[in-house]
Amino acid sequence: MARPTPTRPRSRPAAGLPAVTPARIIDAAVALTMEHGLEKWTVRQLAAVVQAYPAVVYHHVGSRDAVLAEVLERVVGMLPVPPEELPWRDWFRVLLGELRGLLSRYPGVARRFALHGPGVRAAAPIVDRGVRLLQEAGFGKESVLTYNLLLVTACQFLAMEDDRAANPEACPAENPEQVAGYYASFYDYAIERCLDGAAARLAVLTG
């Protein structure tokens, strides 16, 4: 007598698996970015994390570029916006300090922003407020350029830190804590000198 063929579960709940949703896919992509870096994971790896086929990722979110865009949205959305009442220089000092703390947890994001800018919806309130503060300070038509200079410079330094962290074997004799402290102080120094340059330019524009 032939044995009946076992039937496969027809749904994820029947198989004891949670539903796959866009939010769950992005959660997993953010976690992979934190662990491996923005450019160091594949859609296949992402699908494995959510226990689904790659086609399910494409169905719910789209291509890898679409997933990356959502990761960038999520990361930028974590960036706290400094109080608007701060003077422009203090506002940028706080913003860029928070930026380092955030992007250092998500390798590769700083490089993407340095190359392409933070062209995501979540960045709009920060960009609008920063540019407005610069306009009110007197930068006028150079407000957008000044904003971009400060943000891109910060992201370039953070991308350099990412590269160093990804290749520790390049300087095996260095003390990791000492190196981390050096990059933190170097970043702060670079930001202050950029702000000095912006202040000097402001004096020319308003003088």
Side-chain angles (χ1 to χ4, degrees), residues 12-42:
R12 291 179 65 86
L17 298 174
V20 176
T21 64
R24 185 161 178 260
I25 291 170
I26 302 308
D27 286 344
V30 170
L32 284 171
T33 297
M34 178 180 283
E35 183 177 359
H36 302 292
L38 189 68
E39 305 296 342
K40 299 294 180 67
W41 53 264
T42 66

PDB file of all heavy atoms in Angstrom, residues 12-42:
ATOM      1  N   ARG A  12       3.717  30.659   5.851  1.00  0.00           N
ATOM      2  CA  ARG A  12       4.795  30.831   6.821  1.00  0.00           C
ATOM      3  C   ARG A  12       4.300  30.566   8.241  1.00  0.00           C
ATOM      4  O   ARG A  12       4.998  29.917   9.019  1.00  0.00           O
ATOM      5  CB  ARG A  12       5.392  32.237   6.680  1.00  0.00           C
ATOM      6  CG  ARG A  12       6.164  32.413   5.376  1.00  0.00           C
ATOM      7  CD  ARG A  12       6.723  33.827   5.252  1.00  0.00           C
ATOM      8  NE  ARG A  12       7.709  34.106   6.281  1.00  0.00           N
ATOM      9  CZ  ARG A  12       9.012  33.813   6.176  1.00  0.00           C
ATOM     10  NH1 ARG A  12       9.470  33.214   5.087  1.00  0.00           N
ATOM     11  NH2 ARG A  12       9.843  34.125   7.148  1.00  0.00           N
ATOM     12  N   PRO A  13       3.120  31.087   8.626  1.00  0.00           N
ATOM     13  CA  PRO A  13       2.637  30.770   9.983  1.00  0.00           C
ATOM     14  C   PRO A  13       2.511  29.267  10.208  1.00  0.00           C
ATOM     15  O   PRO A  13       2.826  28.760  11.288  1.00  0.00           O
ATOM     16  CB  PRO A  13       1.274  31.468  10.029  1.00  0.00           C
ATOM     17  CG  PRO A  13       1.396  32.594   9.053  1.00  0.00           C
ATOM     18  CD  PRO A  13       2.235  32.052   7.942  1.00  0.00           C
ATOM     19  N   ALA A  14       2.069  28.539   9.165  1.00  0.00           N
ATOM     20  CA  ALA A  14       1.930  27.097   9.321  1.00  0.00           C
ATOM     21  C   ALA A  14       3.281  26.434   9.511  1.00  0.00           C
ATOM     22  O   ALA A  14       3.388  25.386  10.151  1.00  0.00           O
ATOM     23  CB  ALA A  14       1.217  26.515   8.102  1.00  0.00           C
ATOM     24  N   ALA A  15       4.323  27.069   8.960  1.00  0.00           N
ATOM     25  CA  ALA A  15       5.675  26.543   9.109  1.00  0.00           C
ATOM     26  C   ALA A  15       6.368  27.090  10.345  1.00  0.00           C
ATOM     27  O   ALA A  15       7.533  26.772  10.603  1.00  0.00           O
ATOM     28  CB  ALA A  15       6.499  26.890   7.872  1.00  0.00           C
ATOM     29  N   GLY A  16       5.669  27.894  11.116  1.00  0.00           N
ATOM     30  CA  GLY A  16       6.254  28.469  12.315  1.00  0.00           C
ATOM     31  C   GLY A  16       7.183  29.626  12.050  1.00  0.00           C
ATOM     32  O   GLY A  16       8.029  29.955  12.884  1.00  0.00           O
ATOM     33  N   LEU A  17       7.039  30.281  10.881  1.00  0.00           N
ATOM     34  CA  LEU A  17       7.897  31.406  10.505  1.00  0.00           C
ATOM     35  C   LEU A  17       7.115  32.712  10.571  1.00  0.00           C
ATOM     36  O   LEU A  17       5.931  32.751  10.214  1.00  0.00           O
ATOM     37  CB  LEU A  17       8.438  31.221   9.082  1.00  0.00           C
ATOM     38  CG  LEU A  17       9.330  30.001   8.837  1.00  0.00           C
ATOM     39  CD1 LEU A  17       9.659  29.882   7.356  1.00  0.00           C
ATOM     40  CD2 LEU A  17      10.596  30.101   9.664  1.00  0.00           C
ATOM     41  N   PRO A  18       7.752  33.791  11.028  1.00  0.00           N
ATOM     42  CA  PRO A  18       7.065  35.089  11.051  1.00  0.00           C
ATOM     43  C   PRO A  18       6.824  35.605   9.640  1.00  0.00           C
ATOM     44  O   PRO A  18       7.542  35.251   8.700  1.00  0.00           O
ATOM     45  CB  PRO A  18       8.041  35.996  11.815  1.00  0.00           C
ATOM     46  CG  PRO A  18       9.377  35.371  11.586  1.00  0.00           C
ATOM     47  CD  PRO A  18       9.136  33.892  11.525  1.00  0.00           C
ATOM     48  N   ALA A  19       5.833  36.432   9.500  1.00  0.00           N
ATOM     49  CA  ALA A  19       5.522  37.012   8.188  1.00  0.00           C
ATOM     50  C   ALA A  19       6.663  37.915   7.724  1.00  0.00           C
ATOM     51  O   ALA A  19       7.321  38.571   8.532  1.00  0.00           O
ATOM     52  CB  ALA A  19       4.223  37.805   8.265  1.00  0.00           C
ATOM     53  N   VAL A  20       6.903  37.911   6.427  1.00  0.00           N
ATOM     54  CA  VAL A  20       7.897  38.811   5.851  1.00  0.00           C
ATOM     55  C   VAL A  20       7.203  40.104   5.466  1.00  0.00           C
ATOM     56  O   VAL A  20       6.220  40.105   4.721  1.00  0.00           O
ATOM     57  CB  VAL A  20       8.559  38.193   4.596  1.00  0.00           C
ATOM     58  CG1 VAL A  20       9.524  39.190   3.956  1.00  0.00           C
ATOM     59  CG2 VAL A  20       9.304  36.922   4.964  1.00  0.00           C
ATOM     60  N   THR A  21       7.695  41.205   5.995  1.00  0.00           N
ATOM     61  CA  THR A  21       7.144  42.523   5.702  1.00  0.00           C
ATOM     62  C   THR A  21       8.275  43.452   5.262  1.00  0.00           C
ATOM     63  O   THR A  21       9.455  43.174   5.548  1.00  0.00           O
ATOM     64  CB  THR A  21       6.468  43.132   6.947  1.00  0.00           C
ATOM     65  OG1 THR A  21       7.472  43.336   7.963  1.00  0.00           O
ATOM     66  CG2 THR A  21       5.379  42.213   7.491  1.00  0.00           C
ATOM     67  N   PRO A  22       7.971  44.545   4.577  1.00  0.00           N
ATOM     68  CA  PRO A  22       9.022  45.499   4.227  1.00  0.00           C
ATOM     69  C   PRO A  22       9.815  45.969   5.443  1.00  0.00           C
ATOM     70  O   PRO A  22      11.041  46.070   5.395  1.00  0.00           O
ATOM     71  CB  PRO A  22       8.246  46.646   3.571  1.00  0.00           C
ATOM     72  CG  PRO A  22       7.038  45.981   2.983  1.00  0.00           C
ATOM     73  CD  PRO A  22       6.670  44.916   3.975  1.00  0.00           C
ATOM     74  N   ALA A  23       9.115  46.248   6.549  1.00  0.00           N
ATOM     75  CA  ALA A  23       9.797  46.726   7.754  1.00  0.00           C
ATOM     76  C   ALA A  23      10.761  45.678   8.291  1.00  0.00           C
ATOM     77  O   ALA A  23      11.880  46.017   8.722  1.00  0.00           O
ATOM     78  CB  ALA A  23       8.777  47.091   8.823  1.00  0.00           C
ATOM     79  N   ARG A  24      10.358  44.407   8.256  1.00  0.00           N
ATOM     80  CA  ARG A  24      11.246  43.355   8.760  1.00  0.00           C
ATOM     81  C   ARG A  24      12.468  43.199   7.857  1.00  0.00           C
ATOM     82  O   ARG A  24      13.579  42.954   8.339  1.00  0.00           O
ATOM     83  CB  ARG A  24      10.476  42.033   8.857  1.00  0.00           C
ATOM     84  CG  ARG A  24      11.287  40.922   9.492  1.00  0.00           C
ATOM     85  CD  ARG A  24      10.401  39.793   9.987  1.00  0.00           C
ATOM     86  NE  ARG A  24      11.246  38.729  10.539  1.00  0.00           N
ATOM     87  CZ  ARG A  24      11.568  37.622   9.874  1.00  0.00           C
ATOM     88  NH1 ARG A  24      11.104  37.426   8.659  1.00  0.00           N
ATOM     89  NH2 ARG A  24      12.342  36.718  10.419  1.00  0.00           N
ATOM     90  N   ILE A  25      12.291  43.351   6.567  1.00  0.00           N
ATOM     91  CA  ILE A  25      13.419  43.271   5.635  1.00  0.00           C
ATOM     92  C   ILE A  25      14.393  44.416   5.903  1.00  0.00           C
ATOM     93  O   ILE A  25      15.615  44.211   5.940  1.00  0.00           O
ATOM     94  CB  ILE A  25      12.913  43.299   4.179  1.00  0.00           C
ATOM     95  CG1 ILE A  25      12.157  42.003   3.852  1.00  0.00           C
ATOM     96  CG2 ILE A  25      14.072  43.503   3.206  1.00  0.00           C
ATOM     97  CD1 ILE A  25      11.429  42.026   2.529  1.00  0.00           C
ATOM     98  N   ILE A  26      13.872  45.619   6.089  1.00  0.00           N
ATOM     99  CA  ILE A  26      14.748  46.772   6.345  1.00  0.00           C
ATOM    100  C   ILE A  26      15.435  46.620   7.698  1.00  0.00           C
ATOM    101  O   ILE A  26      16.616  46.953   7.839  1.00  0.00           O
ATOM    102  CB  ILE A  26      13.958  48.092   6.279  1.00  0.00           C
ATOM    103  CG1 ILE A  26      13.284  48.237   4.911  1.00  0.00           C
ATOM    104  CG2 ILE A  26      14.888  49.280   6.532  1.00  0.00           C
ATOM    105  CD1 ILE A  26      14.213  48.053   3.737  1.00  0.00           C
ATOM    106  N   ASP A  27      14.724  46.114   8.693  1.00  0.00           N
ATOM    107  CA  ASP A  27      15.361  45.844   9.993  1.00  0.00           C
ATOM    108  C   ASP A  27      16.574  44.943   9.813  1.00  0.00           C
ATOM    109  O   ASP A  27      17.646  45.189  10.388  1.00  0.00           O
ATOM    110  CB  ASP A  27      14.363  45.162  10.938  1.00  0.00           C
ATOM    111  CG  ASP A  27      13.302  46.104  11.476  1.00  0.00           C
ATOM    112  OD1 ASP A  27      13.490  47.330  11.375  1.00  0.00           O
ATOM    113  OD2 ASP A  27      12.290  45.602  11.995  1.00  0.00           O
ATOM    114  N   ALA A  28      16.395  43.890   9.028  1.00  0.00           N
ATOM    115  CA  ALA A  28      17.485  42.944   8.812  1.00  0.00           C
ATOM    116  C   ALA A  28      18.624  43.590   8.037  1.00  0.00           C
ATOM    117  O   ALA A  28      19.805  43.347   8.323  1.00  0.00           O
ATOM    118  CB  ALA A  28      16.959  41.718   8.066  1.00  0.00           C
ATOM    119  N   ALA A  29      18.296  44.423   7.049  1.00  0.00           N
ATOM    120  CA  ALA A  29      19.334  45.092   6.253  1.00  0.00           C
ATOM    121  C   ALA A  29      20.127  46.077   7.112  1.00  0.00           C
ATOM    122  O   ALA A  29      21.349  46.199   6.958  1.00  0.00           O
ATOM    123  CB  ALA A  29      18.696  45.817   5.073  1.00  0.00           C
ATOM    124  N   VAL A  30      19.457  46.770   8.011  1.00  0.00           N
ATOM    125  CA  VAL A  30      20.144  47.687   8.918  1.00  0.00           C
ATOM    126  C   VAL A  30      21.088  46.905   9.830  1.00  0.00           C
ATOM    127  O   VAL A  30      22.231  47.318  10.079  1.00  0.00           O
ATOM    128  CB  VAL A  30      19.128  48.505   9.740  1.00  0.00           C
ATOM    129  CG1 VAL A  30      19.824  49.278  10.864  1.00  0.00           C
ATOM    130  CG2 VAL A  30      18.368  49.471   8.838  1.00  0.00           C
ATOM    131  N   ALA A  31      20.618  45.758  10.325  1.00  0.00           N
ATOM    132  CA  ALA A  31      21.465  44.936  11.194  1.00  0.00           C
ATOM    133  C   ALA A  31      22.678  44.401  10.433  1.00  0.00           C
ATOM    134  O   ALA A  31      23.795  44.373  10.972  1.00  0.00           O
ATOM    135  CB  ALA A  31      20.639  43.777  11.766  1.00  0.00           C
ATOM    136  N   LEU A  32      22.488  43.992   9.182  1.00  0.00           N
ATOM    137  CA  LEU A  32      23.607  43.523   8.369  1.00  0.00           C
ATOM    138  C   LEU A  32      24.600  44.657   8.102  1.00  0.00           C
ATOM    139  O   LEU A  32      25.817  44.433   8.081  1.00  0.00           O
ATOM    140  CB  LEU A  32      23.101  42.954   7.042  1.00  0.00           C
ATOM    141  CG  LEU A  32      22.459  41.569   7.096  1.00  0.00           C
ATOM    142  CD1 LEU A  32      21.815  41.223   5.760  1.00  0.00           C
ATOM    143  CD2 LEU A  32      23.487  40.507   7.470  1.00  0.00           C
ATOM    144  N   THR A  33      24.085  45.853   7.892  1.00  0.00           N
ATOM    145  CA  THR A  33      24.955  47.004   7.673  1.00  0.00           C
ATOM    146  C   THR A  33      25.781  47.296   8.920  1.00  0.00           C
ATOM    147  O   THR A  33      26.981  47.580   8.826  1.00  0.00           O
ATOM    148  CB  THR A  33      24.122  48.233   7.282  1.00  0.00           C
ATOM    149  OG1 THR A  33      23.446  47.972   6.044  1.00  0.00           O
ATOM    150  CG2 THR A  33      24.997  49.473   7.118  1.00  0.00           C
ATOM    151  N   MET A  34      25.169  47.205  10.066  1.00  0.00           N
ATOM    152  CA  MET A  34      25.901  47.431  11.317  1.00  0.00           C
ATOM    153  C   MET A  34      26.987  46.374  11.501  1.00  0.00           C
ATOM    154  O   MET A  34      28.100  46.682  11.962  1.00  0.00           O
ATOM    155  CB  MET A  34      24.929  47.416  12.499  1.00  0.00           C
ATOM    156  CG  MET A  34      25.615  47.606  13.851  1.00  0.00           C
ATOM    157  SD  MET A  34      24.433  47.595  15.235  1.00  0.00           S
ATOM    158  CE  MET A  34      23.728  49.235  15.077  1.00  0.00           C
ATOM    159  N   GLU A  35      26.692  45.143  11.127  1.00  0.00           N
ATOM    160  CA  GLU A  35      27.636  44.046  11.354  1.00  0.00           C
ATOM    161  C   GLU A  35      28.739  43.987  10.304  1.00  0.00           C
ATOM    162  O   GLU A  35      29.912  43.765  10.630  1.00  0.00           O
ATOM    163  CB  GLU A  35      26.885  42.714  11.375  1.00  0.00           C
ATOM    164  CG  GLU A  35      27.779  41.526  11.671  1.00  0.00           C
ATOM    165  CD  GLU A  35      27.011  40.217  11.756  1.00  0.00           C
ATOM    166  OE1 GLU A  35      25.767  40.239  11.602  1.00  0.00           O
ATOM    167  OE2 GLU A  35      27.651  39.171  11.984  1.00  0.00           O
ATOM    168  N   HIS A  36      28.374  44.192   9.033  1.00  0.00           N
ATOM    169  CA  HIS A  36      29.325  43.975   7.938  1.00  0.00           C
ATOM    170  C   HIS A  36      29.691  45.232   7.155  1.00  0.00           C
ATOM    171  O   HIS A  36      30.743  45.256   6.511  1.00  0.00           O
ATOM    172  CB  HIS A  36      28.749  42.942   6.956  1.00  0.00           C
ATOM    173  CG  HIS A  36      28.427  41.625   7.568  1.00  0.00           C
ATOM    174  ND1 HIS A  36      29.400  40.767   8.033  1.00  0.00           N
ATOM    175  CD2 HIS A  36      27.228  41.019   7.802  1.00  0.00           C
ATOM    176  CE1 HIS A  36      28.815  39.671   8.517  1.00  0.00           C
ATOM    177  NE2 HIS A  36      27.513  39.804   8.398  1.00  0.00           N
ATOM    178  N   GLY A  37      28.836  46.245   7.172  1.00  0.00           N
ATOM    179  CA  GLY A  37      29.062  47.422   6.351  1.00  0.00           C
ATOM    180  C   GLY A  37      28.047  47.486   5.222  1.00  0.00           C
ATOM    181  O   GLY A  37      27.528  46.459   4.764  1.00  0.00           O
ATOM    182  N   LEU A  38      27.788  48.677   4.742  1.00  0.00           N
ATOM    183  CA  LEU A  38      26.717  48.904   3.758  1.00  0.00           C
ATOM    184  C   LEU A  38      26.932  48.118   2.472  1.00  0.00           C
ATOM    185  O   LEU A  38      25.961  47.637   1.864  1.00  0.00           O
ATOM    186  CB  LEU A  38      26.635  50.402   3.448  1.00  0.00           C
ATOM    187  CG  LEU A  38      25.451  50.864   2.602  1.00  0.00           C
ATOM    188  CD1 LEU A  38      24.149  50.703   3.372  1.00  0.00           C
ATOM    189  CD2 LEU A  38      25.633  52.317   2.171  1.00  0.00           C
ATOM    190  N   GLU A  39      28.169  47.993   2.024  1.00  0.00           N
ATOM    191  CA  GLU A  39      28.447  47.345   0.746  1.00  0.00           C
ATOM    192  C   GLU A  39      28.895  45.898   0.893  1.00  0.00           C
ATOM    193  O   GLU A  39      29.295  45.277  -0.098  1.00  0.00           O
ATOM    194  CB  GLU A  39      29.529  48.136  -0.004  1.00  0.00           C
ATOM    195  CG  GLU A  39      29.211  49.603  -0.209  1.00  0.00           C
ATOM    196  CD  GLU A  39      27.989  49.850  -1.080  1.00  0.00           C
ATOM    197  OE1 GLU A  39      27.588  48.905  -1.805  1.00  0.00           O
ATOM    198  OE2 GLU A  39      27.433  50.957  -1.042  1.00  0.00           O
ATOM    199  N   LYS A  40      28.827  45.330   2.086  1.00  0.00           N
ATOM    200  CA  LYS A  40      29.411  44.009   2.327  1.00  0.00           C
ATOM    201  C   LYS A  40      28.379  42.899   2.526  1.00  0.00           C
ATOM    202  O   LYS A  40      28.721  41.825   3.018  1.00  0.00           O
ATOM    203  CB  LYS A  40      30.330  44.079   3.554  1.00  0.00           C
ATOM    204  CG  LYS A  40      31.499  45.034   3.401  1.00  0.00           C
ATOM    205  CD  LYS A  40      32.465  44.569   2.331  1.00  0.00           C
ATOM    206  CE  LYS A  40      33.638  45.531   2.190  1.00  0.00           C
ATOM    207  NZ  LYS A  40      34.497  45.539   3.370  1.00  0.00           N
ATOM    208  N   TRP A  41      27.140  43.133   2.155  1.00  0.00           N
ATOM    209  CA  TRP A  41      26.148  42.070   2.231  1.00  0.00           C
ATOM    210  C   TRP A  41      25.359  42.008   0.923  1.00  0.00           C
ATOM    211  O   TRP A  41      25.298  42.974   0.185  1.00  0.00           O
ATOM    212  CB  TRP A  41      25.201  42.253   3.423  1.00  0.00           C
ATOM    213  CG  TRP A  41      24.520  43.586   3.511  1.00  0.00           C
ATOM    214  CD1 TRP A  41      24.922  44.659   4.253  1.00  0.00           C
ATOM    215  CD2 TRP A  41      23.325  43.998   2.844  1.00  0.00           C
ATOM    216  NE1 TRP A  41      24.060  45.721   4.076  1.00  0.00           N
ATOM    217  CE2 TRP A  41      23.063  45.335   3.212  1.00  0.00           C
ATOM    218  CE3 TRP A  41      22.450  43.378   1.961  1.00  0.00           C
ATOM    219  CZ2 TRP A  41      21.961  46.056   2.752  1.00  0.00           C
ATOM    220  CZ3 TRP A  41      21.356  44.096   1.477  1.00  0.00           C
ATOM    221  CH2 TRP A  41      21.114  45.409   1.892  1.00  0.00           C
ATOM    222  N   THR A  42      24.778  40.851   0.669  1.00  0.00           N
ATOM    223  CA  THR A  42      24.042  40.623  -0.573  1.00  0.00           C
ATOM    224  C   THR A  42      22.559  40.417  -0.285  1.00  0.00           C
ATOM    225  O   THR A  42      22.156  40.175   0.866  1.00  0.00           O
ATOM    226  CB  THR A  42      24.577  39.385  -1.302  1.00  0.00           C
ATOM    227  OG1 THR A  42      24.292  38.217  -0.502  1.00  0.00           O
ATOM    228  CG2 THR A  42      26.089  39.491  -1.527  1.00  0.00           C
TER     229      THR A  42
END
